[in-house]
Amino acid sequence: MKISPSVQDVLNKQINAEFWSAYMYLAMANWCEEQGLRGFANWLRVQYHEENSHALKFVNYIHERQGEVKLQPIEAVPLTWKSVLEVMEKTYEHECKVTEMIYNCVNVAEAEKDRATVNLLQWYVDEQVEEEANADEIVTNLRFIGESKGALMQYDHVLKGRSFKDETK
Ligand code: FEO
């Protein structure tokens, strides 16, 4: 069954939001790299790859449903932050906003009685729980670390261990 115009529209908006997220995380990764925080930069670059994969999962799905992908311009993202704590607080806040957007997609799909899209979106609902929890954990750890440069460098080293695994497939 071909995707309905309203579901196609809300998923196209979500594609733009996922690419915007990718762009924002790349900007955050660049900023961390320039501060000498290579582990945080690595973590955020993995996040950048994840967001691209989230967008592409929607792209593939719209095609599977004989719909049309309409890529829109990506708005500018912030380029500087006061501290790495602020970077991670913004990450957490942003993921909460993305969760709301995904819930809105679910509402539109449910209104259309589009079971397939509701099913697809469940993957994103689950993913958002993890996205929020990951960011929240780092914020909590950074608050413990406080002003300790030594502890921050140790934690930065831990974050070098994250690698990208495409979980959308
Ligand atoms: Fe695609 Fe971070 O949500």
Side-chain angles (χ1 to χ4, degrees), residues 14 18 21 25 47 50-51 54 94-95 98 124 127-128 131:
Q14 195 62 34
E18 301 289 345
S21 305
Y25 289 130
Q47 201 65 19
E50 283 204 357
E51 300 304 346
H54 296 169
H94 178 66
E95 288 303 332
V98 174
Y124 288 89
E127 176 68 11
Q128 282 311 117
E131 293 271 78

Side-chain angles (χ1 to χ4, degrees), residues 122-155:
Q122 189 56 47
W123 183 88
Y124 288 89
V125 169
D126 295 341
E127 176 68 11
Q128 282 311 117
V129 173
E130 199 184 310
E131 293 271 78
E132 287 183 25
N134 289 345
D136 180 58
E137 185 185 336
I138 297 179
V139 168
T140 303
N141 289 341
L142 282 173
R143 288 189 181 139
F144 275 125
I145 287 168
E147 297 301 313
S148 167
K149 292 257 187 298
L152 180 62
M153 291 320 289
Q154 272 182 351
Y155 192 39

Side-chain angles (χ1 to χ4, degrees), residues 80-160:
T80 58
W81 293 267
K82 288 198 296 278
S83 64
V84 71
L85 175 61
E86 189 189 24
V87 167
M88 294 312 305
E89 284 172 342
K90 295 288 180 201
T91 294
Y92 175 74
E93 284 168 26
H94 178 66
E95 288 303 332
C96 291
K97 276 189 210 140
V98 174
T99 300
E100 280 175 27
M101 293 183 79
I102 294 290
Y103 286 6
N104 181 51
C105 292
V106 174
N107 291 342
V108 173
E110 280 179 345
E112 290 285 332
K113 299 187 169 49
D114 182 342
R115 305 290 312 156
T117 301
V118 170
N119 196 35
L120 171 92
L121 287 166
Q122 189 56 47
W123 183 88
Y124 288 89
V125 169
D126 295 341
E127 176 68 11
Q128 282 311 117
V129 173
E130 199 184 310
E131 293 271 78
E132 287 183 25
N134 289 345
D136 180 58
E137 185 185 336
I138 297 179
V139 168
T140 303
N141 289 341
L142 282 173
R143 288 189 181 139
F144 275 125
I145 287 168
E147 297 301 313
S148 167
K149 292 257 187 298
L152 180 62
M153 291 320 289
Q154 272 182 351
Y155 192 39
D156 186 66
H157 188 71
V158 169
L159 297 180
K160 281 182 188 157

Side-chain angles (χ1 to χ4, degrees), residues 23 25-35 41 44-45 79:
Y23 204 43
Y25 289 130
L26 186 58
M28 287 173 162
N30 293 340
W31 185 84
C32 287
E33 189 78 37
E34 287 154 17
Q35 310 306 308
L44 288 155
R45 269 193 304 272
L79 297 175

Side-chain angles (χ1 to χ4, degrees), residues 54-67:
H54 296 169
L56 288 173
K57 187 176 176 75
F58 280 123
V59 167
N60 293 337
Y61 178 75
I62 292 174
H63 286 150
E64 276 179 343
R65 294 286 308 277
Q66 300 92 49

